[in-house]
Amino acid sequence: MQELPDCLYEGKQPALITPSSPTPSHILYLSNLDDHHFLRFSIKYLYLFQKSLCSLTLKDSLSRVLVDYYPFAGRIKVSDDKTKLEVDCNGKGAVFAEAFMDITCQEFLEISRKPNKSWRKLLFKVQAPGFLDIPPLVIQVTHLRCGGMIICTAINHCLCDGIGTSQFLHAWAHANTTNVPLPIQPFHSRRMLKPRDPPHVTHSHPGFTRTTVDKNSTTFDVCKYLQSQPIVPTTLTFTPSLILRLKKTCAPSLECTTFEVLAAHTWCSWARSLDLPLTMQVKLLFSVNVRKKLTPELPHGYYGNGFVLACAESKVQDLVSGNIYHAVKLIQDAKVRITDEYVRSTIDLLEDKTVKTDVSSSLVISQWGRLGLEELDFGGGKPMYMGSLTSDIYCLFLPEAGNCDAIRVQVSLPEDVLRRLECYMVQFLDEKGKIEAKTFA
């Protein structure tokens, strides 16, 4: 795999961008949906733009937008009682680095037909003792030889979800092109998602487990198996026509969404590619937006994690039959279970700090489509490419720049497993369709 050239930094890098006017100074409470261990990482985006913009202008607009999004200028810390994370809204600033890379937009696209480890060069590495010591917002703008630019962002997941990241990035782009007030004002308080007193867990939550380890357990841990080996990425693109053909493979016919059918197909292909025991129970975990499922609904612009993980479960033998009907139904049933009471029960469950997300036998799918991420425009046009800076064993459904109805399925697996996955993912197609799916591996 060809590597990108190194970034060239000039002067003192990086800079800290502080809010352009005074902001509230207080400790921001994080809900149990924000601070549980599964979200203690940064969401890292990569954007390629054909036209470079002045970094001074981008810094100025970022400074102005941080007035409304002031927690990003703060620092995450452990609460005094050591039980939770919280944000010290102290206005210290977001990290902003500027660099040059001797490459053109087209060369980048050619080298990077699939996720590339050398992409990490495009985001300034903050030297810090641990994750919590890294500022919650890190940005690098890299200017290219052709006059294009790449913007990479690392946004702490404890502060917001995918909807929130899109809301912030569009707010920054809005501030870069106009002085008109933001169309959506962020609502930072998470108090409406506090646990009940006492906590009252009323539902079963198969997507979670406790951290106590059973040393006598003989259950195969898929996650540990995958992480113990070198992994390589792949990306498969599903156009609307391919999605329609996939829906037609469901027998008996079933009305379903694009996400439901593609998630079912990916889950079944994943189970087949791993060659798991037929009687083994496996799970699919996927995020469900709960902003409008709660009573009362979360306020417009709610700026925190407003999702829970839905969980579908099945024996492997029911997923590898070649018919995705069973998996689609399980996904639909899992979505229906997400009610106001289910969310409240989840929040109460997470008061128990021994509870963690169960990834031992799970495929986790994160949906980045339908968030408007590919529509971002800082004034020089929409991106030529948009995606994740890194690739992992967790599966991403990504938007396709220039084709908002297409979905790119991205995942990293051991090479032998990956080859089988690619085969199963396009097995329902004829040769013409397999070419259309753009298997870049």
Side-chain angles (χ1 to χ4, degrees), residues 187 189-194 294 298-299 302 344 347:
F187 185 93
S189 175
R190 275 89 157 160
R191 294 288 173 178
M192 65 285 298
L193 292 183
K194 290 196 73 172
L294 294 171
L298 292 180
Y302 175 79
R344 303 290 176 188
I347 293 169

Side-chain angles (χ1 to χ4, degrees), residues 49-187:
F49 294 97
Q50 192 165 13
K51 182 180 178 182
S52 192
L53 298 176
C54 174
S55 291
L56 288 176
T57 304
L58 290 168
K59 288 178 181 178
D60 176 70
S61 58
L62 178 61
S63 178
R64 285 185 283 114
V65 85
L66 284 175
V67 174
D68 290 296
Y69 288 86
Y70 64 89
F72 280 134
R75 297 294 183 266
I76 294 179
K77 71 181 191 72
V78 179
S79 61
D80 291 339
D81 61 8
K82 309 298 182 186
T83 61
K84 288 186 66 62
L85 298 182
E86 56 192 21
V87 185
D88 181 3
C89 298
N90 52 26
K92 286 188 174 180
V95 175
F96 188 103
E98 184 179 0
F100 171 81
M101 181 175 280
D102 189 16
I103 195 172
T104 67
C105 291
Q106 288 303 324
E107 287 169 347
F108 175 84
L109 290 172
E110 191 60 33
I111 292 173
S112 305
R113 296 180 70 187
K114 61 180 180 178
N116 186 322
K117 284 185 178 180
S118 66
W119 284 3
R120 297 176 188 182
K121 296 178 180 181
L122 292 161
L123 183 66
F124 188 88
K125 186 173 176 60
V126 177
Q127 299 300 320
F131 171 67
L132 295 182
D133 303 293
I134 299 173
L137 176 61
V138 179
I139 295 167
Q140 178 169 320
V141 175
T142 305
H143 303 282
L144 308 181
R145 179 177 8 114
C146 63
M149 71 173 179
I150 293 173
I151 295 181
C152 286
T153 61
I155 301 173
N156 192 304
H157 207 332
C158 295
L159 263 68
C160 61
D161 53 17
I163 291 173
T165 61
S166 181
Q167 183 180 313
F168 166 74
L169 290 171
H170 279 279
W172 180 21
H174 178 86
N176 202 64
T177 55
T178 178
N179 288 317
V180 176
L182 298 179
I184 302 176
Q185 285 292 324
F187 185 93

Side-chain angles (χ1 to χ4, degrees), residues 23-328:
T23 55
S25 177
H26 64 101
I27 299 298
L28 178 66
Y29 168 85
L30 295 179
S31 80
N32 286 348
L33 300 185
D34 293 317
D35 81 339
H36 63 100
H37 281 272
F38 189 65
L39 296 191
R40 296 191 183 185
F41 66 93
S42 291
I43 304 172
K44 296 177 180 177
Y45 294 132
L46 185 156
Y47 281 94
L48 173 68
F49 294 97
Q50 192 165 13
K51 182 180 178 182
S52 192
L53 298 176
C54 174
S55 291
L56 288 176
T57 304
L58 290 168
K59 288 178 181 178
D60 176 70
S61 58
L62 178 61
S63 178
R64 285 185 283 114
V65 85
L66 284 175
V67 174
D68 290 296
Y69 288 86
Y70 64 89
F72 280 134
R75 297 294 183 266
I76 294 179
K77 71 181 191 72
V78 179
S79 61
D80 291 339
D81 61 8
K82 309 298 182 186
T83 61
K84 288 186 66 62
L85 298 182
E86 56 192 21
V87 185
D88 181 3
C89 298
N90 52 26
K92 286 188 174 180
V95 175
F96 188 103
E98 184 179 0
F100 171 81
M101 181 175 280
D102 189 16
I103 195 172
T104 67
C105 291
Q106 288 303 324
E107 287 169 347
F108 175 84
L109 290 172
E110 191 60 33
I111 292 173
S112 305
R113 296 180 70 187
K114 61 180 180 178
N116 186 322
K117 284 185 178 180
S118 66
W119 284 3
R120 297 176 188 182
K121 296 178 180 181
L122 292 161
L123 183 66
F124 188 88
K125 186 173 176 60
V126 177
Q127 299 300 320
F131 171 67
L132 295 182
D133 303 293
I134 299 173
L137 176 61
V138 179
I139 295 167
Q140 178 169 320
V141 175
T142 305
H143 303 282
L144 308 181
R145 179 177 8 114
C146 63
M149 71 173 179
I150 293 173
I151 295 181
C152 286
T153 61
I155 301 173
N156 192 304
H157 207 332
C158 295
L159 263 68
C160 61
D161 53 17
I163 291 173
T165 61
S166 181
Q167 183 180 313
F168 166 74
L169 290 171
H170 279 279
W172 180 21
H174 178 86
N176 202 64
T177 55
T178 178
N179 288 317
V180 176
L182 298 179
I184 302 176
Q185 285 292 324
F187 185 93
H188 293 296
S189 175
R190 275 89 157 160
R191 294 288 173 178
M192 65 285 298
L193 292 183
K194 290 196 73 172
R196 294 172 287 202
D197 188 15
H200 187 41
V201 180
T202 56
H203 287 65
S204 62
H205 296 276
F208 294 96
T209 186
R210 284 184 166 76
T211 53
T212 52
V213 177
D214 181 3
K215 294 182 179 179
N216 298 317
S217 175
T218 58
T219 304
F220 178 60
D221 191 318
V222 177
C223 183
K224 285 184 179 178
Y225 162 71
L226 295 175
Q227 292 178 331
S228 69
Q229 303 179 65
I231 56 175
V232 291
T234 192
T235 303
L236 298 127
T237 301
F238 286 79
T239 60
S241 63
L242 295 184
I243 294 290
L244 183 60
R245 289 162 73 178
L246 184 57
K247 287 182 178 182
K248 290 178 179 178
T249 68
C250 194
S253 63
L254 182 65
E255 187 175 337
C256 55
T257 66
T258 294
F259 173 81
E260 289 164 357
V261 73
L262 191 53
H265 179 56
T266 304
W267 187 26
C268 293
S269 300
W270 175 83
R272 291 178 72 187
S273 66
L274 287 166
D275 198 22
L276 299 170
L278 293 178
T279 57
M280 182 176 173
Q281 194 84 356
V282 291
K283 301 174 183 178
L284 175 69
L285 304 179
F286 58 96
S287 57
V288 174
N289 179 14
V290 301
R291 285 165 171 77
K292 293 186 178 300
K293 292 182 179 292
L294 294 171
T295 307
E297 295 179 359
L298 292 180
H300 183 58
Y302 175 79
Y303 212 77
N305 284 282
F307 77 94
V308 297
L309 287 174
C311 177
E313 292 183 279
S314 174
K315 285 185 178 180
V316 170
Q317 63 190 16
D318 296 322
L319 297 178
V320 300
S321 65
N323 186 353
I324 59 173
Y325 176 90
H326 172 72
V328 171

Side-chain angles (χ1 to χ4, degrees), residues 328-357:
V328 171
K329 280 291 293 177
L330 291 175
I331 291 168
Q332 291 178 337
D333 292 344
K335 289 170 68 175
V336 169
R337 286 195 292 272
I338 309 300
T339 61
D340 174 79
E341 181 55 37
Y342 186 94
V343 176
R344 303 290 176 188
S345 180
T346 302
I347 293 169
D348 290 353
L349 174 73
L350 291 171
E351 273 294 277
D352 180 348
K353 301 309 174 185
T354 68
V355 169
K356 66 174 184 177
T357 306

